Amino acid sequence: MANWATFAVLLAVVVIMLGAWTRLVHAGLGCPDWPGCYGFLTVPQSESSIAIANARFPDTPVDVEKGWPEMIHRYAAGTLGLVVFGLAAYAVRRRRDGVPVKLPLFIAGFIILQGAFGMWTVTLKLWPQVVALHLLGGFTTLSLLTLLTFRLRRQASQKRDQEPPPKTALAGFRPWLYGGLLLVVMQIALGAWTAANYAAVACTDLPTCQGQWWPAGMDFRHGFDVTQHVGPNYLGGQLAADGRVAIHVTHRLGAMVVLVYFTALLALMWRRRGDSGLDNAIKLVAVVLAAQILLGLANVIFHIPLSIAVAHNAMGAGLLLSVIHLIWQHQLLPKTHTATAPNTTTMTQEVTA
């Protein structure tokens, strides 16, 4: 079950990347219906199938090049759903053996909700609120599957070694780690809103935006208006330029906050790590964060090339998982290791200094 959960994590990453690819090639409405494509199981390609499809949806003629990215994304997401349902069924069958049940069942239920958001993304014509929630749902699914994998592998290791689990004693760094996780989630949410409103190209220069450190006329109320009407086709976005610039600048500021916060936090943890065994977990967060910042800069410098933009989405997932991994590893530390961590007061003093 641990191996299948690991496979589900990898597949979830693929689904997130495929979703980014679909969005970036403007294929989010490549199939105007759901779950099929113009009423077919695959993208219609023959002349007769295209004629039938165009008759069914006269307002959205068939575009094969945009239909396939959408359907490939759906196939991958459907496969992930089947794997998750399989994990849930296995957990129920083996619940008397100590296999975790609640988490797999919750993930299975969440997958159904995520599928509904996928449907609404199409039927509501890329309404930004639904698109952003769908993106966040993908990252949430990935995080839950990762936690399930950690639990299963830890359980399997304990059964093999016949050793009691180490005592959890997260003190001192606990609130700072969870604070960092919250910042990453908020930054991912900003990224989702940026993507949903096509605001990634609102600023094409660095470090300024449109030649200004603080662009004049930014409309934050318009940019973060969550009451946009349902109905228009939001492919390409409906926001005015001032609203998109406000979103883009906010996303940049969020990236700076995350960078500064984790630079200070990881530096403090590295100085006090002792023999905790957290070296690799700390290094992983640092490397992934640096890569994500560089990919974000490259997106602006090279004007959102497809490969870099998809990698930026994938690395966002990697940053989230690396922080979750660091928190998980820190929770498993024996008291003798976490006792060397500074208390919250000392942390506050050092960060402030």
Side-chain angles (χ1 to χ4, degrees), residues 42-76:
T42 62
V43 181
Q45 291 185 275
S46 66
E47 292 184 5
S48 59
S49 297
I50 292 176
I52 294 172
N54 289 335
R56 289 172 176 170
F57 298 89
D59 296 332
T60 53
V62 174
D63 187 338
V64 175
E65 292 184 357
K66 291 187 176 180
W68 274 116
E70 174 69 0
M71 288 308 295
I72 291 173
H73 175 55
R74 293 184 189 180
Y75 295 149

Side-chain angles (χ1 to χ4, degrees), residues 43-210:
V43 181
Q45 291 185 275
S46 66
E47 292 184 5
S48 59
S49 297
I50 292 176
I52 294 172
N54 289 335
R56 289 172 176 170
F57 298 89
D59 296 332
T60 53
V62 174
D63 187 338
V64 175
E65 292 184 357
K66 291 187 176 180
W68 274 116
E70 174 69 0
M71 288 308 295
I72 291 173
H73 175 55
R74 293 184 189 180
Y75 295 149
T79 302
L80 176 61
L82 293 176
V83 174
V84 168
F85 294 146
L87 287 170
Y90 184 86
V92 171
R93 288 183 58 188
R94 301 296 297 272
R95 61 188 181 279
R96 295 183 179 178
D97 297 333
V99 174
V101 176
K102 293 181 180 180
L103 183 55
L105 288 177
F106 181 82
I107 298 173
F110 192 85
I111 278 285
I112 296 174
L113 177 62
Q114 180 69 351
F117 273 109
M119 175 186 68
W120 294 329
T121 296
V122 176
T123 58
L124 297 181
K125 300 179 181 179
L126 303 181
W127 191 39
Q129 286 84 329
V130 169
V131 173
L133 288 174
H134 187 47
L135 292 172
L136 287 175
F139 281 89
T140 302
T141 302
L142 176 62
S143 301
L144 293 173
L145 286 170
T146 301
L147 289 175
L148 177 61
T149 302
F150 288 163
R151 287 186 60 184
L152 291 170
R153 292 203 171 278
R154 180 189 176 195
Q155 191 174 51
S157 176
Q158 289 171 358
K159 286 184 177 181
R160 206 167 40 238
D161 300 336
Q162 296 298 316
E163 294 180 357
K167 296 180 179 180
T168 301
L170 234 183
F173 282 117
R174 179 192 293 266
W176 300 97
L177 287 170
Y178 280 102
L181 178 62
L182 178 61
L183 284 178
V184 171
V185 171
M186 292 174 63
Q187 181 64 6
I188 290 174
L190 278 173
W193 189 248
T194 301
N197 288 281
Y198 299 87
V201 294
C203 301
T204 57
D205 53 327
L206 282 171
T208 57
C209 175
Q210 299 183 357

